[in-house]
Amino acid sequence: MSIVKTKVGRRAFIRNTSLASGGLVIGFSWLNSCKPKEAAKIVAMEMPKEWFQINGFLKIGDNGVVTIMSPNPEIGQNVKTAMPMIVAEELDTAWKNVLVEQAPLNTDIFTRQLAGGSQSIRQGWEGLRMAGATARTMLKQAAADAWQVAINEIQTSEGVVSHTASGKSATYGELASAAAKLEVPEEVSLKETSDFTIIGTDKKNVDGHQIVTGQSLFGLDIQKEGMLIAMVTQPPAFGMKFKAIDSSKAESMPGIKAIFPITVYPEGIKKQWSDGGAVPEMVAIVGESTWQCMQAKKALDITWEQAEKAEDTAYHNRELDNLLNTKPASPARADGNVEAAFKNAAKIVESTYSAPFLAHNTMEPMNFYAHVTPEKAELLGPIQTPEYLELTLAEVLEMPLEKIDIMMTRMGGGFGRRLYGSFGVEAAMISKKMNAPIKLVYTREDDMAQGTYRPSYKIRYKAGLDEEGNLIAWHVRGAGTNDDLVFENRFPAGAVDNYLAEKLSLSTNVTTGAWRAPRSNFIAGAEQAFIDEVAEAAGKDPIAFRLELFDRAISKPVGDTEKNDYDPERYAGVLKLVKEKSNWQIGDNRGVAAYYCHNSYVAQVLDVTMNGDTPKVGTVHCAVDCGIVINPLSAKNQIEGGIIDGIGHATFSELTFKEGEPQQHNFDRYRLMRNTEAPEKIETYFVDNGIAPTGLGEPSLPPVQGALANALYKATGRRYYQQPFITDKPPLVG
Amino acid sequence: MATFNLKINGETKKVDVDGSTPMLWVLRDHLQMVGTKYGCGIAQCGACTVHLNDNAVRSCQLPVSAVGEQEITTIEGLSENGDHPVQQAWLEVDVPQCGYCQAGQIMTASALLKKNPTPTDDEIATAMNGNICRCGTYTRIRKAVKMAADNS
Ligand code: FES
Ligand code: FES
């Protein structure tokens, strides 16, 4: 049992909201209308007559039913199930008695309401445990007061408080009213991890029933009284801006209410990082229905003007090549002397890897509901960064924060795209101008052509081996569009005597941003493919070669060990686990890779067969060390998703540019992996080490691209240096 | 604008829309049945899949004027209480990640099983090929279709 303080940092983590505000803090009345009417039907439990708010995270009904708020945005990473599981664990209630609700943005109660960096669970862990433990302590205190016994003689189990000596017991429902009136304790004790009964068990997605029955859950599903549909047309190419419009034809089309140019971001406005992909000026189309707006949008006659350089993919590639031939002014990290080591090396291996821009392509295109009046702004929709959206809205709407309400819907995918919430700002500005509630809808074409893309990259590695096949020198130089790519303190830094990491960035007007596992989503695959080449040159088994390097990093680390951004023992641990589970042996058209990112370690072994030019992955074995696994059922789903995502994009996907214009606008030309192309089987093995949980939504994606490249080499005899590995156009389906 | 009487999920629904409007938008905007999803609008992703007389079709490509007397089934009408074997298998396997593509996946899978109650693994994957899942739930989808076939 560990004792923790209930106040952390500048915020009181846990506040007794019933004392503070005298009422519920959860839910805005205007939001209730968007809850599915059938919600009650699906809940096979009786609703309480009265709810008692214990703290901002939970309320308890008079019949013992508990509602737990899930504070963070849900993008498919399943935090809406996992976060409440953590609260329920420390509350010590039965999971079957728990209802889950999505919390609105509320910076007074919740910290870091953000979906990104695979950090929701890691950073929420303590606060969520504390929320549950605080409530449990208050329920125990309420019982102690009523029974006139000492609180430390009281136990809890599955929603019941009991006192063994007197034989007294009461349910949480019976005690909730008294508990809600108590002061929040200064410190509370947390459960031993070995006493967990909910954490570590398979729990089904709390929204599962609504998803499979097609209920309204997503931003695009929002319907409100008097709501109009809005669309926007943004410049067709990067480097262009709006000049003039002739909307006479489109305006007279059926259902169309208004068409106008709009400045979403007035000049001089203070932007947040989340406004990264924002276009300041565009054309808005407002009408009665989505289809009518789509037709009018096609009929617009807009003149754009060239404001900046029009860039082509050929230009990006040429410039990145030039950067790889440029020595940067200073290295990101330098240990030993690589130049001297290369001179003495018995063997040198050198290779260059590249990858294109990628769009996020969430299945649900960008959208947002907004109703802005002079008095207040109500926004509802899919956003990974609601807190930052609110800050920008306060600027552009010239409204204080407390007049702005933001609620998150379940999101049809995120992958980083919805970190950049300019679509929310667009919705608000259009609503303000129309003085009406609107739902902004991007078409798939808008969504794909108006992204904040994964940058395109090139990276060159050079390795030197001595006579015995020991790695004695490592030089990496990486370049990316708007991104300098290299993580200089990650493996193999610390495992090689002579190490040099250099990074360079090419400035481009194509907007780029975080895409699932930023940077790692390319560099892991490149590095792990290169290590394979080096192991081969050294005449060593690829797993044994990697383990040797980890041994070196453990026994005699190179350079400033404080800087090394990984734990070589845990790294080696996943590699050994996957070796054992996959019955590793060289040959078999198999490839291996391991990587560390988002505070977690992943190692994979997969096999591949060629079907003509197209690879087909058989079984992927995946070992993961992400500390305590909250919900193994959905944790495996995340791992599988990352693997399929990684293999799919490395094999098929790319976004190219001609005169600043994306050349892929929809899934007819942008190829995403399909069912028959997905691996036959994915086996996931978690390391059980009781360490506090770390990232899970991203870490399985990066290494799998390396494992695939290495298996492809075994299957075809050639190395794969350029993504996408297959560049055929997609077959037409449907 | 014209009036259409549509047979959807066993009920007759009346809508006043332009005849060229795709069923996808008739369902979503005019009938407030938002379970059928928009993903691409060009017959590539399968998110908008509904049944037209038991066949899986892309509602983004189906103008309302072409429906006539044919019966439409959407995800909302696949079963009374969400207990169609395919829906149950989806819950059992815990298929969804974001969930957005899943209505379309379920409609494709249920149409497949109606025609072919005992599909092979290859037949399952091939039938599901028109439905993109950006979250990568493909292996679970195959598992769930298999389970539904075994349970029905
Ligand atoms: S929306 Fe109809 S197939 Fe994509
Ligand atoms: S579950 Fe997200 S697109 Fe399929």
Side-chain angles (χ1 to χ4, degrees):
Chain A
M1 194 190 313
S2 56
I3 309 289
V4 293
K5 298 263 182 253
T6 53
K7 294 187 197 324
V8 173
R10 69 187 165 87
R11 277 184 180 112
F13 237 176
I14 304 303
R15 290 211 315 221
N16 186 325
T17 47
S18 62
L19 287 180
S21 62
L24 296 187
V25 286
I26 293 156
F28 308 110
S29 56
W30 64 274
L31 289 168
N32 290 341
S33 57
C34 72
K35 280 196 202 125
K37 281 189 220 75
E38 293 84 347
K41 194 168 79 188
I42 64 152
V43 176
M45 59 174 81
E46 238 173 78
M47 283 299 105
K49 290 181 195 68
E50 215 178 333
W51 286 105
F52 300 97
Q53 192 78 37
I54 309 293
N55 57 47
F57 288 81
L58 66 98
K59 55 183 177 179
I60 300 179
D62 53 13
N63 63 348
V65 170
V66 182
T67 295
I68 301 180
M69 305 307 288
S70 183
N72 284 31
E74 172 62 59
I75 58 176
Q77 82 282 47
N78 209 14
V79 288
K80 198 173 168 186
T81 307
M83 293 184 117
M85 281 175 72
I86 300 170
V87 178
E89 179 70 70
E90 291 289 353
L91 175 63
D92 211 3
T93 189
W95 183 246
K96 65 175 169 40
N97 287 334
V98 173
L99 288 173
V100 173
E101 275 181 34
Q102 174 71 55
L105 176 66
N106 189 332
T107 50
D108 287 342
I109 298 175
F110 306 112
T111 49
R112 197 183 181 278
Q113 285 182 284
L114 187 148
S118 293
Q119 296 299 304
S120 294
I121 297 295
R122 177 168 175 254
Q123 299 202 24
W125 175 242
E126 269 198 13
L128 294 163
R129 293 183 75 185
M130 220 181 282
T134 307
R136 173 166 40 97
T137 307
M138 289 161 76
L139 289 157
K140 283 165 72 175
Q141 188 63 56
D145 293 350
W147 302 335
Q148 294 293 304
V149 298
I151 187 168
N152 59 9
E153 292 170 16
I154 284 181
Q155 285 98 41
T156 60
S157 172
E158 298 224 322
V160 177
V161 181
S162 60
H163 182 252
T164 317
S166 65
K168 287 195 165 119
S169 75
T171 65
Y172 283 7
E174 290 161 349
L175 293 164
S177 155
K181 295 191 189 86
L182 295 174
E183 287 291 342
V184 176
E186 296 257 312
E187 46 183 41
V188 293
S189 53
L190 300 178
K191 281 188 180 178
E192 289 298 339
T193 54
S194 55
D195 292 335
F196 286 167
T197 57
I198 295 175
I199 291 173
T201 63
D202 287 348
K203 295 283 177 274
K204 304 261 165 72
N205 191 323
V206 294
D207 282 342
H209 186 91
Q210 278 126 304
I211 291 169
V212 305
T213 52
Q215 296 181 40
S216 173
L217 279 172
F218 299 94
L220 212 57
D221 300 343
I222 293 163
Q223 315 261 356
K224 298 254 185 200
E225 198 59 38
M227 182 188 88
L228 295 169
I229 300 292
M231 290 197 163
V232 288
T233 295
Q234 303 191 2
F238 292 91
M240 284 194 147
K241 66 173 193 185
F242 174 77
K243 187 169 180 199
I245 180 170
D246 177 359
S247 55
S248 49
K249 187 170 157 226
E251 261 165 9
S252 61
M253 289 172 74
I256 298 305
K257 298 279 186 197
I259 294 174
F260 48 89
I262 183 166
T263 301
V264 177
Y265 289 81
E267 214 154 306
I269 224 77
K270 183 170 176 278
K271 286 189 190 170
Q272 302 297 321
W273 66 269
S274 59
D275 298 304
V279 172
E281 199 180 9
M282 62 197 70
V283 174
I285 304 111
V286 183
E288 285 166 9
S289 76
T290 317
W291 182 247
Q292 288 169 326
C293 289
M294 282 178 168
Q295 302 315 301
K297 186 169 150 64
K298 283 188 205 143
L300 292 177
D301 183 2
I302 307 175
T303 312
W304 309 99
E305 67 183 336
Q306 200 70 41
E308 292 172 29
K309 186 175 165 52
E311 299 172 2
D312 291 351
T313 294
Y315 161 82
H316 295 134
N317 286 339
R318 199 171 56 240
E319 291 300 312
L320 288 175
D321 278 336
N322 286 341
L323 279 182
L324 285 191
N325 294 324
T326 311
K327 190 172 177 57
S330 61
R333 174 165 169 167
D335 297 332
N337 183 341
V338 283
E339 260 175 55
F342 282 128
K343 275 202 191 99
N344 296 330
K347 257 187 200 165
I348 288 181
V349 187
E350 187 171 355
S351 293
T352 303
Y353 300 79
S354 67
F357 286 97
L358 293 176
H360 293 85
N361 289 330
T362 58
M363 280 312 286
E364 178 197 20
M366 297 308 112
N367 65 83
F368 229 83
Y369 169 85
H371 190 187
V372 178
T373 63
E375 290 74 44
K376 61 179 175 162
E378 297 167 342
L379 281 97
L380 173 59
I383 178 83
Q384 290 178 249
T385 49
E387 195 170 340
Y388 296 93
L389 173 62
E390 190 178 46
L391 293 173
T392 300
L393 288 174
E395 283 274 322
V396 297
L397 297 173
E398 297 173 58
M399 217 179 232
L401 288 176
E402 52 284 5
K403 291 191 171 179
I404 302 169
D405 285 342
I406 301 180
M407 177 74 193
M408 295 82 86
T409 51
R410 185 177 184 87
M411 286 174 243
F415 315 108
R417 176 61 185 90
R418 294 187 223 271
L419 293 167
Y420 309 102
S422 51
F423 45 85
V425 185
E426 291 157 17
M429 294 300 266
I430 295 169
S431 170
K432 184 179 174 185
K433 167 108 184 186
M434 292 299 294
N435 196 20
I438 62 109
K439 177 172 69 180
L440 172 69
V441 177
Y442 276 28
T443 63
R444 172 58 59 196
E445 288 80 5
D446 296 333
D447 189 275
M448 204 177 285
Q450 211 52 246
T452 45
Y453 306 113
R454 197 284 296 269
S456 63
Y457 293 123
K458 284 193 189 244
I459 197 162
R460 184 177 301 155
Y461 291 97
K462 187 174 172 185
L465 294 163
D466 67 11
E467 296 288 350
E468 279 82 51
N470 297 310
L471 183 64
I472 55 167
W474 180 277
H475 177 198
V476 54
R477 184 182 287 169
T481 42
N482 296 335
D483 189 7
D484 59 14
L485 185 60
V486 176
F487 294 104
E488 62 272 21
N489 294 315
R490 284 195 187 165
F491 179 80
V496 196
D497 284 323
N498 305 291
Y499 174 91
L500 176 64
E502 295 170 325
K503 42 192 196 181
L504 296 140
S505 171
L506 169 68
S507 171
T508 156
N509 56 31
V510 173
T511 55
T512 56
W515 190 103
R516 194 177 197 175
R519 295 185 188 174
S520 302
N521 61 36
F522 166 65
I523 198 168
E527 170 204 293
Q528 289 295 303
F530 184 65
I531 294 237
D532 222 60
E533 279 194 70
V534 180
E536 188 181 50
K540 292 180 183 169
D541 171 88
I543 292 186
F545 184 71
R546 286 169 172 85
L547 290 175
E548 268 177 28
L549 292 171
F550 291 126
D551 276 347
R552 171 70 204 268
I554 295 165
S555 62
K556 209 165 141 251
V558 182
D560 182 351
T561 45
E562 290 290 297
K563 274 199 199 153
N564 292 345
D565 183 20
Y566 63 94
D567 175 342
E569 304 218 24
R570 291 177 76 181
Y571 227 134
V574 285
L575 207 45
K576 285 176 189 162
L577 180 60
V578 84
K579 182 180 176 198
E580 174 206 318
K581 295 287 185 185
S582 68
N583 288 319
W584 169 260
Q585 48 193 334
I586 205 148
D588 303 342
N589 290 354
R590 278 174 140 193
V592 62
Y595 200 65
Y596 163 78
C597 63
H598 304 89
N599 315 92
S600 294
Y601 300 81
V602 171
Q604 291 147 338
V605 166
L606 61 78
D607 62 272
V608 76
T609 46
M610 294 306 288
N611 195 345
D613 281 346
T614 309
K616 170 78 181 171
V617 174
T619 302
V620 183
H621 296 273
C622 184
V624 183
D625 178 353
C626 60
I628 293 168
V629 177
I630 312 300
N631 183 359
L633 181 66
S634 70
K636 284 182 193 154
N637 208 345
Q638 291 304 302
I639 294 296
E640 292 160 15
I643 286 171
I644 290 174
D645 199 358
I647 294 176
H649 282 89
T651 311
F652 301 117
S653 307
E654 68 178 325
L655 188 78
T656 57
F657 293 89
K658 201 165 171 195
E659 294 183 1
E661 187 184 355
Q663 296 300 289
Q664 296 77 20
H665 291 91
N666 208 323
F667 300 127
D668 51 347
R669 296 188 57 84
Y670 194 105
R671 185 167 175 185
L672 288 174
M673 170 170 268
R674 290 178 182 273
N675 202 318
T676 48
E677 296 155 344
E680 258 147 47
K681 214 156 106 197
I682 299 170
E683 301 282 1
T684 304
Y685 320 100
F686 291 107
V687 174
D688 182 8
N689 56 14
I691 297 172
T694 51
L696 196 66
E698 295 168 274
S700 75
L701 185 151
V704 81
Q705 305 188 332
L708 175 63
N710 296 337
L712 281 171
Y713 172 65
K714 293 283 174 205
T716 66
R718 83 175 177 92
R719 296 276 177 194
Y720 285 71
Y721 295 112
Q722 290 174 5
Q723 293 184 15
F725 299 146
I726 301 293
T727 49
D728 299 347
K729 292 288 168 274
L732 284 175
V733 292
Chain B
M1 288 287 195
T3 304
F4 298 92
N5 288 302
L6 301 165
K7 288 189 191 155
I8 303 174
N9 299 336
E11 289 175 34
T12 303
K13 304 263 185 187
K14 192 171 140 186
V15 286
D16 272 313
V17 287
D18 188 276
S20 67
T21 311
M23 268 314 297
L24 170 64
W25 299 112
V26 172
L27 289 168
R28 292 186 57 84
D29 280 359
H30 300 274
L31 297 171
Q32 276 77 50
M33 297 169 75
V34 294
T36 306
K37 298 296 191 234
Y38 165 68
C40 70
I42 60 162
Q44 290 293 312
C45 76
C48 65
T49 305
V50 299
H51 296 177
L52 185 67
N53 287 347
D54 293 345
N55 294 314
V57 298
R58 273 98 197 277
S59 63
C60 71
Q61 302 300 306
L62 178 66
V64 60
S65 59
V67 175
E69 291 294 302
Q70 301 176 87
E71 300 258 359
I72 289 177
T73 308
T74 69
I75 186 75
E76 292 93 340
L78 187 62
S79 64
E80 262 294 286
N81 304 307
D83 51 6
H84 185 283
V86 172
Q87 288 167 314
Q88 283 183 328
W90 241 250
L91 291 174
E92 188 51 38
V93 176
D94 207 42
V95 175
Q97 286 185 34
C98 83
Y100 193 79
C101 73
Q102 300 296 347
Q105 306 275 4
I106 289 170
M107 295 312 283
T108 302
S110 52
L112 165 72
L113 294 186
K114 197 146 210 178
K115 288 214 159 58
N116 179 0
T118 53
T120 63
D121 291 357
D122 278 353
E123 284 169 341
I124 291 172
T126 305
M128 302 309 298
N129 232 23
N131 289 71
I132 294 174
C133 175
R134 174 65 184 81
C135 296
T137 62
Y138 293 132
T139 49
R140 287 189 185 220
I141 287 169
R142 296 196 299 249
K143 194 168 158 191
V145 178
K146 191 100 190 137
M147 183 184 283
D150 292 346
N151 291 347
S152 49

